[in-house]
Every structure is written in C-alpha cells, then in structure tokens.
Amino acid sequence: MAPVLHLAVAPAQPASIPTLFRSDEVRTIIEHPPVTRHEGFNILTYERAEIVEGDRIVIDAWRKRLELYKDATFVALGTFAELLGWPRDTAAFTRNPKINSLALIEFTYDFFKTYAAVLDHVEPLPVSLRCQLGIEGAHAYERRLWMAPYALNTYGNEMPHQRYEAPSDTVTRELDIEALVDRPHIQPGEIAYGLIEQVYNWFGLDSDMIPYASAANREIDPASF
C-alpha cells in the first residue's frame, strides 16, 4: 500500500460520547475542526460526517479519513502523496518520497487539538487516554519513505547531508496521558511532541532536529507553523 499516516486516541477505561447521535454538537466539531491554520496541513475535509454501523461517524474524503466512535475513540488517516509529502504530486512523490515535516507535525497537532474539543462531550472525565501515531507502507516504492532534519526552507532540510530512511515498512508509537476535568482537558502540543519525537528517532533523527517545537518545554509550538 502507498504510505499512509494514522493517528488514534482512545480511552483506556470505559467511556462514551452519549450525544454523538443525538445532536449536531460533536458532528460539527469533526466537520469543522478547530484548526490552527485554515489553509494549513490539517484534518479539515469540507465533507459531511455519516453514521456508520450505529457505532461511529465517518468522513471519508480525498487524502483523509476521520472516524469518531461512540466509545470516544478518534482515528484519522492521511496520505503522504498529495498531503503529507513533498513534492505533493503523486508521480513526483513516488520517485522521491520525502516527508513534509511541517505537514506531519501540523496534521498531528490539529488532530489532538480537535480531540481536546471532543472531550467536552466525553463521559466520564478524568480518564486515561492512549495516543498513537503510525506509518504504513513506508517501503511501498522503490525508494523508501524518508525525512530530513529541521524546518522547511532551511539548508539542513533542503540539502540534508543524508537521507534518513524508514528502517521498516510500518511503525507504531504510543503515549499514555490523562484527560482532566478542567479545561484544557489535554495539551495537544505536548502529546504531538511526544509522538513526533518517537517517530523522528525511529527514522534516525535526533530529538533536537524536530522543527516547529520548543525542545525546552517538549511541546509543539503552533505559532511557528
């Protein structure tokens, strides 16, 4: 399969979204997520969510898929070709499958920013959450999916001294956190950093090569997007 990013978050104990099918409040969050940049690399799809099999709402759109379950599990898929890679064109990306660091980080951050809003409708709180980031199909092409250090438009990113290639076809990394009763229920920047760091390390990149982040605070900084 072509390279795909998957993100997921789910309560570690029984929980639910009682109003998922009763009102438009939660559906509106998924259809109009609180993105950091409207024209950025986010989970916004401009599509309507549909009830599927009575246990989730789903948006299946070009390049993206979102699923929110009644048990408060939230899942997102994003393609690297046409969305999270650079160049974005499928044919060009197939020849040179480089990850767009800003797209990867912003998509991840906005996923958890959206879930922070969903948590207003989850019962009970507080609740432990398991957060997950994974990549599938990293060896789908003749050249492996690869990353460069630092931010876009920097010398280290545009002219890296080496290609940091995916060591295997798939990877999954997890992080356990606590969703609190008080707002903010979770810290999207800290969660995104914790998962992104593990994936950068998997590619062979040092943690200090992660862009759009505060290394001192160990969190993604959306103001830097």
Side-chain angles (χ1 to χ4, degrees):
M1 64 177 296
V4 174
L5 174 76
H6 78 259
L7 297 166
V9 55
Q13 300 94 29
S16 68
I17 305 175
T19 60
L20 184 61
F21 306 136
R22 297 179 191 166
S23 73
D24 291 334
E25 288 184 272
V26 182
R27 186 192 301 260
T28 298
I29 295 171
I30 303 305
E31 293 177 346
H32 305 283
V35 298
T36 303
R37 300 184 303 154
H38 191 74
E39 299 298 328
F41 300 99
N42 53 55
I43 67 171
L44 182 62
T45 64
Y46 300 100
E47 301 289 348
R48 296 294 306 275
E50 303 292 340
I51 297 175
V52 175
E53 297 182 354
D55 69 345
R56 63 193 184 275
I57 57 173
V58 175
I59 298 179
D60 194 2
W62 178 54
R63 308 178 302 176
K64 308 171 189 177
R65 180 180 174 91
L66 305 177
E67 301 182 359
L68 180 62
Y69 290 75
K70 195 171 182 180
D71 69 0
T73 298
F74 187 35
V75 178
L77 301 178
T79 65
F80 282 94
E82 305 288 348
L83 179 62
L84 304 176
W86 190 261
R88 293 175 68 179
D89 175 75
T90 299
F93 181 74
T94 300
R95 295 190 296 270
N96 182 31
K98 179 184 178 182
I99 294 175
N100 180 332
S101 58
L102 175 57
L104 172 67
I105 290 170
E106 185 173 5
F107 193 82
T108 301
Y109 178 88
D110 276 6
F111 172 81
F112 288 105
K113 182 177 181 179
T114 300
Y115 195 68
V118 170
L119 283 167
D120 282 340
H121 305 274
V122 173
E123 299 178 4
L125 289 179
V127 66
S128 297
L129 301 174
R130 175 151 293 178
C131 309
Q132 187 179 94
L133 185 156
I135 295 173
E136 300 178 21
H139 291 184
Y141 305 136
E142 183 176 345
R143 288 190 168 186
R144 298 178 179 182
L145 195 66
W146 68 285
M147 297 188 72
Y150 311 120
L152 303 185
N153 302 317
T154 62
Y155 184 83
N157 187 274
E158 302 302 321
M159 302 290 292
H161 71 276
Q162 73 177 86
R163 297 165 59 99
Y164 293 87
E165 296 185 340
S168 59
D169 187 61
T170 63
V171 62
T172 300
R173 292 293 183 263
E174 294 182 340
L175 186 69
D176 292 331
I177 63 159
E178 188 84 1
L180 305 177
V181 174
D182 296 334
R183 294 181 180 176
H185 303 297
I186 58 174
Q187 298 292 339
E190 294 179 4
I191 301 169
Y193 185 92
L195 293 171
I196 291 292
E197 180 181 37
Q198 294 183 66
V199 171
Y200 263 67
N201 296 163
W202 179 75
F203 273 95
L205 288 147
D206 293 335
S207 298
D208 63 4
M209 295 177 175
I210 301 171
Y212 314 107
S214 168
N217 296 329
R218 294 183 57 80
E219 65 180 358
I220 297 300
D221 177 14
S224 65
F225 292 169

